[in-house]
Amino acid sequence: MAIRFPIFMDAQSTTPCDPRVVEAMLPYFTEKFGHPASRNHPFGWEAEAACDEARAKIARLIGARDPKEIIFTSGGTESINLAIKGVAEMYREKGTHIVTTAIEQRAGIDTCKRLERQGFQVTYVPVQPNGLVDVEDIRRAITDRTILISVMFANNEIGTIQDIAAIGRLAKERGIIFHTDATQAVGKIPVDVEAMGIDLLSCTAHLIYGPKGVGALYVRRKGPRVRLAPLIDGGGHERGMRSGTLPVPLCVGFGRAAEICREVMAEESARLRALRDRLQDTILSNVEETYLNGDPERRLPHNLNVSFAYVEGESILMGLNREVALSSGSACTSATLEPSYVIAALGASSELAHSSIRFSLHRFNTEEEVDFVARRTIEVVRRLREMSPLYELAKEGVDLKSIQWKAE
């Protein structure tokens, strides 16, 4: 089978839209173009019904009891903002303390930083070297003023999957609202908001082979009922939590993507895990001083994050970018040359954090592509190390930390 270049292995930044999703969306651009809030004629009824059907499909994927608990947004970032800021404003009289982790994606961390400037207190619980947060550390961080626990379901760089059910039980025990950013987990691994005690869940379509520009926030209606202050006012759409005209074609696409994921998740995860392990084994067995970032078991089946000592991650990307699309971190931070704060939070040195590469596979990747990427990565890393005086010194047994560099 001929390989088409460049090969896309950056599926934790986005995924290609599944042709079946595109097919489902097309009629809603031309023939079925009604406004879902126009309830006095068939065009509006048809659009509203399509959005409600999409809600039901997303609800089934995450184990929600009621499709009305699905609030459409513009994407994962807005869903995270609405969850965290919405709780902060609505429950401010009850408390001003939020507990989160040090490795949340930027949408979560930056939202919490803004709230700190507005007088809220935020505890950023550290993680262990494998990227997992100790639930007891979260318990110790809780105060009598804590109104929200927000923990990412699966990390967008290292793929580590947190013990969400245990955190959910803790939140219920203490009567605290629990939000999870599940943008990387939904559609890839089993997610059940009821079984896991999740009150708010953020997700997005473009990471499950759906369209960009649409996301969703699950908002629990009972046990407990969660109330949110809206970010956007006007019209009272989406149960008053998110006003604005729904993008019907995108909502339909999101629903179809969720439906497909629910049907193929088990088989697809097993296939991608096998491909990921093939890639990992080939690289790690052929390149010395290469380190796996994150937990070797509790991680997403399509994620591989590796640090290559003595080589800059950006140099590896430049050596591969005509043939392979990869990432040295999250898409949210790729515009900066700062080392990954996620890798640094694992206790890795700045040098190793700078040398990390994320490989993330998707539904349409093939075994031939995996073998090509593994081979070319090995070639590029070896070539870069041949050019590295630091690698040469290390091979000679010199302790690089003991060197005192002289400034000119």
Side-chain angles (χ1 to χ4, degrees):
M1 181 180 176
I3 297 176
R4 293 182 59 186
F5 295 101
I7 298 167
F8 187 74
M9 281 196 185
D10 194 18
Q12 283 181 269
S13 68
T14 195
T15 55
C17 206
D18 193 300
R20 293 168 288 184
V21 171
V22 176
E23 183 182 11
M25 292 166 60
L26 286 175
Y28 293 90
F29 286 107
T30 53
E31 306 158 30
K32 306 177 181 182
F33 55 84
H35 192 305
S38 297
R39 294 192 171 125
N40 57 345
H41 55 68
F43 288 91
W45 303 335
E46 185 176 49
E48 184 180 32
C51 290
D52 286 346
E53 184 181 351
R55 286 184 218 278
K57 291 174 179 177
I58 297 165
R60 282 195 290 272
L61 180 62
I62 65 171
R65 291 176 182 169
D66 188 345
K68 292 179 181 177
E69 294 177 310
I70 305 300
I71 303 301
F72 283 117
T73 68
S74 64
T77 295
E78 186 188 338
S79 294
I80 293 164
N81 271 260
L82 176 56
I84 299 174
K85 292 176 182 174
V87 167
E89 184 177 337
M90 182 60 71
Y91 294 89
R92 185 162 195 160
E93 290 187 6
K94 182 179 177 183
T96 56
H97 182 239
I98 295 168
V99 176
T100 188
T101 80
I103 62 168
E104 301 296 296
Q105 68 157 302
R106 294 304 324 187
I109 287 183
D110 287 354
T111 297
C112 287
K113 294 292 184 186
R114 174 177 286 274
L115 289 174
E116 285 184 289
R117 294 193 294 272
Q118 296 173 1
F120 286 83
Q121 294 79 47
V122 181
T123 300
Y124 300 90
V125 178
V127 294
Q128 301 168 92
N130 62 357
L132 289 172
V133 64
D134 187 333
V135 179
E136 289 307 306
D137 285 345
I138 294 178
R139 184 187 297 277
R140 285 188 284 271
I142 294 171
T143 74
D144 58 1
R145 298 286 289 167
T146 304
I147 53 173
L148 177 68
I149 299 172
S150 181
V151 176
M152 202 173 194
F153 203 120
N155 187 264
N156 54 323
E157 291 191 35
I158 58 176
T160 303
I161 301 168
Q162 303 296 344
D163 191 348
I164 293 299
I167 300 170
R169 287 193 294 273
L170 171 60
K172 288 290 172 292
E173 172 191 318
R174 299 297 296 269
I176 299 167
I177 295 170
F178 176 36
H179 164 253
T180 185
D181 164 11
T183 49
Q184 297 287 343
V186 166
K188 312 296 173 59
I189 56 175
V191 174
D192 190 322
V193 294
E194 289 297 333
M196 296 175 172
I198 298 166
D199 299 313
L200 296 162
L201 178 145
S202 303
C203 57
T204 192
H206 77 97
L207 289 173
I208 62 168
Y209 312 96
K212 295 174 182 64
V214 64
L217 178 65
Y218 160 78
V219 183
R220 180 177 290 279
R221 295 190 81 186
K222 54 170 87 166
R225 179 192 173 205
V226 177
R227 301 172 63 211
L228 298 176
L231 297 179
I232 302 171
D233 296 306
H237 310 92
E238 297 300 278
R239 291 170 48 206
M241 292 184 221
R242 203 279 185 180
S243 291
T245 301
L246 289 181
V248 181
L250 304 185
C251 296
V252 169
F254 195 174
R256 181 67 178 122
E259 182 178 46
I260 294 169
C261 282
R262 188 164 175 263
E263 292 167 356
V264 306
M265 187 192 301
E267 179 184 347
E268 186 166 89
S269 293
R271 187 184 80 85
L272 290 178
R273 183 179 291 107
L275 288 177
R276 188 271 314 276
D277 290 348
R278 182 185 181 102
L279 178 66
Q280 174 181 316
D281 294 345
T282 304
I283 293 174
L284 267 60
S285 63
N286 283 281
V287 184
E288 61 184 1
E289 295 201 57
T290 300
Y291 306 95
L292 177 69
N293 294 312
D295 192 89
E297 301 299 328
R298 286 189 63 90
R299 59 179 163 138
L300 294 168
H302 60 299
N303 169 275
L304 173 63
N305 192 301
V306 175
S307 286
F308 299 88
Y310 313 110
V311 182
E312 286 281 341
E314 293 299 321
S315 298
I316 299 174
L317 294 184
M318 288 176 65
L320 291 168
N321 62 11
R322 291 185 180 277
E323 301 162 314
V324 189
L326 298 170
S327 170
S328 59
S330 73
C332 303
T333 57
S334 63
T336 135
L337 292 177
E338 290 297 312
S340 164
Y341 66 88
V342 173
I343 307 300
L346 307 183
S349 66
S350 174
E351 290 78 16
L352 277 181
H354 264 301
S355 73
S356 64
I357 296 293
R358 181 184 69 185
F359 304 81
S360 42
L361 287 77
H362 62 86
R363 178 175 291 167
F364 305 108
N365 281 135
T366 66
E367 194 172 283
E368 290 82 5
E369 289 176 333
V370 165
D371 290 343
F372 178 88
V373 172
R375 184 173 69 252
R376 286 292 294 130
T377 301
I378 293 165
E379 291 170 357
V380 168
V381 172
R382 284 177 175 171
R383 177 167 53 80
L384 290 169
R385 282 183 173 174
E386 287 173 3
M387 300 161 57
S388 169
L390 293 179
Y391 182 64
E392 187 177 337
L393 288 170
K395 292 300 290 180
E396 292 172 357
V398 176
D399 181 1
L400 299 181
K401 294 180 181 177
S402 68
I403 297 176
Q404 294 185 354
W405 303 100
K406 183 178 179 181
E408 291 296 332

